[in-house]
Tab-separated table of all heavy atoms in Angstrom:
chain	number	residue	atom	x	y	z
A	260	SER	N	-8.270	33.870	-55.257
A	260	SER	CA	-9.129	33.136	-54.334
A	260	SER	C	-9.823	34.062	-53.351
A	260	SER	O	-11.041	34.116	-53.276
A	260	SER	CB	-8.305	32.084	-53.600
A	260	SER	OG	-7.658	31.258	-54.531
A	261	GLY	N	-9.026	34.743	-52.541
A	261	GLY	CA	-9.577	35.827	-51.748
A	261	GLY	C	-10.327	35.487	-50.481
A	261	GLY	O	-10.827	36.373	-49.820
A	262	LYS	N	-10.439	34.210	-50.117
A	262	LYS	CA	-11.119	33.911	-48.858
A	262	LYS	C	-10.176	33.238	-47.883
A	262	LYS	O	-9.980	33.693	-46.767
A	262	LYS	CB	-12.318	32.999	-49.113
A	262	LYS	CG	-13.458	33.711	-49.820
A	262	LYS	CD	-14.576	32.745	-50.136
A	262	LYS	CE	-15.623	33.407	-51.034
A	262	LYS	NZ	-16.504	32.399	-51.617
A	263	VAL	N	-9.604	32.111	-48.330
A	263	VAL	CA	-8.711	31.348	-47.466
A	263	VAL	C	-7.331	31.313	-48.123
A	263	VAL	O	-7.220	31.066	-49.321
A	263	VAL	CB	-9.229	29.903	-47.280
A	263	VAL	CG1	-8.234	29.073	-46.473
A	263	VAL	CG2	-10.582	29.911	-46.621
A	264	LEU	N	-6.303	31.594	-47.332
A	264	LEU	CA	-4.941	31.522	-47.853
A	264	LEU	C	-4.175	30.497	-47.030
A	264	LEU	O	-4.111	30.597	-45.805
A	264	LEU	CB	-4.261	32.892	-47.752
A	264	LEU	CG	-2.799	32.946	-48.201
A	264	LEU	CD1	-2.672	32.642	-49.685
A	264	LEU	CD2	-2.198	34.313	-47.901
A	265	ILE	N	-3.625	29.490	-47.705
A	265	ILE	CA	-2.842	28.472	-47.005
A	265	ILE	C	-1.372	28.719	-47.287
A	265	ILE	O	-0.958	28.780	-48.446
A	265	ILE	CB	-3.247	27.057	-47.468
A	265	ILE	CG1	-4.733	26.826	-47.179
A	265	ILE	CG2	-2.387	26.009	-46.779
A	265	ILE	CD1	-5.276	25.549	-47.761
A	266	LEU	N	-0.582	28.908	-46.245
A	266	LEU	CA	0.855	29.127	-46.405
A	266	LEU	C	1.580	27.894	-45.884
A	266	LEU	O	1.593	27.636	-44.684
A	266	LEU	CB	1.296	30.370	-45.619
A	266	LEU	CG	0.631	31.678	-46.039
A	266	LEU	CD1	1.002	32.794	-45.086
A	266	LEU	CD2	1.031	32.033	-47.456
A	267	ASP	N	2.121	27.106	-46.799
A	267	ASP	CA	2.758	25.844	-46.426
A	267	ASP	C	4.263	26.051	-46.299
A	267	ASP	O	4.968	26.085	-47.301
A	267	ASP	CB	2.435	24.795	-47.498
A	267	ASP	CG	2.802	23.397	-47.056
A	267	ASP	OD1	3.436	23.258	-45.990
A	267	ASP	OD2	2.466	22.447	-47.770
A	268	GLU	N	4.726	26.225	-45.098
A	268	GLU	CA	6.142	26.471	-44.793
A	268	GLU	C	6.733	27.568	-45.676
A	268	GLU	O	7.751	27.361	-46.341
A	268	GLU	CB	6.965	25.197	-44.973
A	268	GLU	CG	6.631	24.162	-43.934
A	268	GLU	CD	7.684	23.087	-43.887
A	268	GLU	OE1	8.868	23.451	-43.837
A	268	GLU	OE2	7.326	21.915	-43.906
A	269	PRO	N	6.106	28.729	-45.702
A	269	PRO	CA	6.593	29.769	-46.613
A	269	PRO	C	7.928	30.349	-46.175
A	269	PRO	O	8.610	30.980	-46.973
A	269	PRO	CB	5.495	30.837	-46.540
A	269	PRO	CG	4.916	30.672	-45.180
A	269	PRO	CD	5.001	29.217	-44.864
A	270	THR	N	8.306	30.157	-44.919
A	270	THR	CA	9.490	30.850	-44.409
A	270	THR	C	10.727	29.971	-44.386
A	270	THR	O	11.777	30.407	-43.946
A	270	THR	CB	9.227	31.341	-42.978
A	270	THR	OG1	8.850	30.222	-42.181
A	270	THR	CG2	8.145	32.377	-42.938
A	271	ALA	N	10.600	28.722	-44.858
A	271	ALA	CA	11.683	27.757	-44.655
A	271	ALA	C	13.001	28.201	-45.267
A	271	ALA	O	14.056	27.853	-44.775
A	271	ALA	CB	11.282	26.398	-45.206
A	272	SER	N	12.953	28.969	-46.368
A	272	SER	CA	14.237	29.354	-46.949
A	272	SER	C	14.466	30.866	-46.891
A	272	SER	O	15.192	31.415	-47.696
A	272	SER	CB	14.328	28.849	-48.388
A	272	SER	OG	13.148	29.136	-49.080
A	273	LEU	N	13.828	31.530	-45.925
A	273	LEU	CA	13.990	32.977	-45.822
A	273	LEU	C	14.854	33.344	-44.621
A	273	LEU	O	14.901	32.608	-43.638
A	273	LEU	CB	12.623	33.647	-45.657
A	273	LEU	CG	11.561	33.337	-46.700
A	273	LEU	CD1	10.338	34.204	-46.468
A	273	LEU	CD2	12.091	33.546	-48.105
A	274	ASP	N	15.521	34.487	-44.708
A	274	ASP	CA	16.263	34.936	-43.531
A	274	ASP	C	15.361	35.829	-42.666
A	274	ASP	O	14.230	36.132	-43.023
A	274	ASP	CB	17.575	35.625	-43.926
A	274	ASP	CG	17.352	36.919	-44.674
A	274	ASP	OD1	16.308	37.568	-44.450
A	274	ASP	OD2	18.218	37.282	-45.481
Side-chain angles (χ1 to χ4, degrees):
Chain A
S260 305
K262 289 176 189 165
V263 175
L264 177 64
I265 300 172
L266 300 173
D267 192 352
E268 292 195 48
T270 56
S272 46
L273 306 186
D274 66 28

